[in-house]
Amino acid sequence: MPNTHPATEVDVAIVGAGPIGLIFANALARRGVSAMLIDRQSREALEAPASDGREIALTRASQQILERLDVWPRIPESERARMRGAKVFDGESLFAMQIAPGGAQDASLGCLVPNHVIRGAAFSALASLEQAEAGKILWRDESELERFVAGDDSVEITLAGGERVRSRLLVAADGRFSATRRAMGIPAHTYQHGQHMLVCRMNHEYAHDQTAWEWFGHGQTLALLPVDTHCSSVVLTLSPSEMEAQLALSQTAFEADIARRFDHRLGAMTKAEPNADAHRYPLASVYAERFVGRRQALLGDAAVGMHPVTAHGFNLGVEGLWRLTGLIGDARAASRDIASPPLLSRYQRDQRLATGPLFAATMAIVGLYTDDRRRAQWLRKAVLRAGDAAWPVRRLIASHLTRAID
Ligand SMILES: Cc1cc2nc3c(=O)[nH]c(=O)nc-3n(C[C@H](O)[C@H](O)[C@H](O)COP(=O)(O)OP(=O)(O)OC[C@H]3O[C@@H](n4cnc5c(N)ncnc54)[C@H](O)[C@@H]3O)c2cc1C
């Protein structure tokens, strides 16, 4: 039987209430634009997300945006770890390329916050806004988009349960393997790196100086993100079969093995949460061929799914939602269409300019450092030494991390 109920009207329908979808709805509501959040997870799961092991290095610009949207004050001080700088090591060499913030002596490269804490804070900020801005935010949890038709004035959406929704703009924020992007017919360049990443908090005997380490050994990539003086998040990248073997180790053998991989530079190492499993991510990078379509836009990982090595995925998503909200908010204030072709083209152009060079630089780093052939090994050493003063990739990454919003 055809559904004869009138369609629910909303300005922007967002598929995906991950960190980017939640923060985007918050930003839109503050500009008087109504949003519907559609996510396959339950609202309870989104409100109190479980730890996923990710520590997100936030840029200064992201912190400022989160501050304006009342998300930052909801992140407890104890969950923010300052990162004074980063060092990149190659093989057994003790020589490290330094990535430093520059400027004031107490300046930092950014702040590390667990991903689930950001998600919880984003949910909480939106929930408190919902009370004040009743009617601006609609929730459809445990739900999915079934189909949609984009017309000149609106997008007619049907949700999995049969509900009809009419929105001015449809936004895909459902992650790097976005089903909505596929439904929009937008192709994406996808790079399967053939490697898995393990993340796990570990305590260590010796203190570090709040500096992140990126260590490209032969056959493995290691990173260490500072959490507390004697605690860090360990990030280990291996082939899928090596990862299987690593995860099959007993706890004592796992801890001894990680200390060995770090060449005992931090002394003995133990799991910070002894009974918790390490989290594992198959690595894939994604760059969509277009970020917009007719009354459609991609946001967050659905547009650009970065390799985590340069710690930019979430930050670029925040930049993107801020950019799109600015354009939509200005159009609404001037009583213009909030999803006109020129508006969407401008979003696409600016977001591609902001993400393209970092995506390319990240892919270059991944290529250079995961290639163990002799030529690549030699090139790495040359790049680290010659580039310590002015390596453009290094400057690009450091300046992006420390840049403030306009
Ligand atoms: C190990 C690791 C470390 C990282 N470190 C950093 C870092 O230091 N700095 C940084 O900036 N970034 C980092 N990132 C990247 C960052 O985590 C992502 O960029 C960010 O989570 C993207 O958010 P998102 O909301 O776009 O997507 P997601 O977090 O993937 O959220 C997608 C949402 O969509 C929902 N969904 C999915 N499919 C559907 C569907 N079909 N229908 C309805 N709902 C759906 C999901 O339930 C989820 O809620 C890291 C990533 C990893 C894996």
Side-chain angles (χ1 to χ4, degrees):
M1 250 207 5
N3 184 348
T4 50
H5 284 100
T8 309
E9 302 266 351
V10 70
D11 291 320
V12 184
I14 307 167
V15 184
I20 298 303
L22 289 170
I23 299 168
F24 183 45
N26 175 332
L28 288 174
R30 287 169 196 273
R31 299 293 305 260
V33 178
S34 63
M36 174 182 282
L37 276 164
I38 303 155
D39 201 290
R40 51 158 75 124
Q41 295 187 61
S42 71
R43 223 179 132 151
E44 291 71 35
L46 292 164
E47 182 172 10
S51 167
D52 56 16
R54 302 182 201 186
E55 307 284 339
I56 305 293
L58 293 169
T59 58
R60 207 165 291 162
S62 292
Q63 285 176 44
Q64 289 173 327
I65 292 169
L66 297 185
E67 181 103 47
R68 292 191 193 176
L69 299 176
D70 188 34
V71 176
W72 186 247
R74 293 167 193 271
I75 296 175
E77 194 75 49
S78 58
E79 298 283 8
R80 307 174 192 169
R82 209 143 277 293
M83 196 167 54
R84 282 198 215 288
K87 289 180 184 166
V88 184
F89 298 95
D90 183 42
E92 291 85 47
S93 165
L94 286 174
F95 182 82
M97 179 177 76
Q98 314 266 352
I99 298 181
Q105 268 220 312
D106 62 344
S108 70
L109 204 54
C111 197
L112 284 159
V113 179
N115 192 42
H116 73 283
V117 173
I118 297 177
R119 295 182 67 162
F123 185 97
S124 151
L126 188 66
S128 82
L129 191 69
E130 249 176 294
Q131 287 155 11
E133 305 274 331
K136 293 262 183 325
I137 299 148
L138 303 174
W139 271 96
R140 295 297 181 268
D141 62 334
E142 297 185 76
S143 184
E144 288 191 29
L145 176 145
E146 191 174 274
R147 59 180 181 275
F148 71 90
V149 180
D152 284 345
D153 302 319
S154 61
V155 189
E156 304 289 329
I157 298 167
T158 307
L159 299 182
E163 183 186 0
R164 291 191 303 121
V165 178
R166 183 172 301 127
S167 69
R168 300 262 156 232
L169 174 68
L170 172 64
V171 171
D174 49 349
R176 67 186 63 200
F177 302 113
S178 171
T180 312
R181 181 184 65 220
R182 278 199 301 280
M184 289 171 170
I186 300 181
H189 300 281
T190 303
Y191 306 86
Q192 300 285 353
H193 295 285
Q195 289 185 310
H196 285 192
M197 181 174 268
L198 170 152
V199 281
C200 172
R201 275 193 179 191
M202 295 194 76
N203 295 324
H204 37 79
E205 197 180 349
Y206 308 136
H208 55 59
D209 51 357
Q210 293 302 119
T211 300
W213 294 3
E214 197 85 52
W215 194 349
F216 298 98
H218 304 154
Q220 64 170 15
T221 306
L222 276 170
L224 194 90
L225 305 172
V227 173
D228 214 342
T229 322
H230 288 273
C231 180
S232 297
S233 171
V234 166
V235 185
L236 171 64
T237 309
L238 294 172
S239 71
S241 59
E242 287 167 323
M243 190 62 83
E244 284 301 329
Q246 184 73 24
L247 291 170
L249 293 175
S250 70
Q251 183 166 316
T252 326
F254 177 89
E255 292 171 343
D257 185 72
I258 297 288
R260 176 193 64 77
R261 287 181 186 276
F262 277 103
D263 214 9
H264 304 282
R265 290 185 195 197
L266 290 166
M269 298 178 78
T270 51
K271 270 176 132 182
E273 295 162 62
N275 298 319
D277 288 334
H279 298 267
R280 184 218 302 218
Y281 294 93
L283 291 174
S285 302
V286 178
Y287 202 87
E289 257 183 34
R290 291 183 278 119
F291 290 179
V292 298
R294 192 184 201 191
R295 296 199 169 271
Q296 298 152 50
L298 306 182
L299 207 53
D301 276 17
V304 182
M306 298 278 286
H307 188 294
V309 71
T310 51
H312 283 316
F314 173 76
N315 292 306
L316 293 176
V318 171
E319 258 187 56
L321 73 86
W322 193 245
R323 183 164 284 128
L324 189 53
T325 304
L327 293 168
I328 291 175
D330 290 350
R332 170 52 50 90
S335 304
R336 291 195 313 265
D337 184 1
I338 63 163
S340 65
L343 184 153
L344 293 177
S345 295
R346 173 132 185 239
Y347 161 68
Q348 163 161 277
R349 189 199 60 203
D350 293 352
Q351 190 62 5
R352 287 180 90 82
L353 275 175
T355 56
L358 275 167
F359 187 83
T362 302
M363 293 299 282
I365 291 175
V366 173
L368 188 60
Y369 286 101
T370 51
D371 187 343
D372 277 334
R373 283 170 301 181
R374 279 186 82 79
R375 200 165 156 269
Q377 289 180 19
W378 174 84
L379 195 59
R380 283 205 294 259
K381 285 196 174 42
V383 163
L384 281 193
R385 287 175 189 277
D388 192 43
W391 192 34
V393 172
R394 180 181 68 96
R395 274 190 290 154
L396 185 67
I397 293 168
S399 66
H400 184 259
L401 282 168
T402 52
R403 193 167 58 80
I405 54 170
D406 305 329

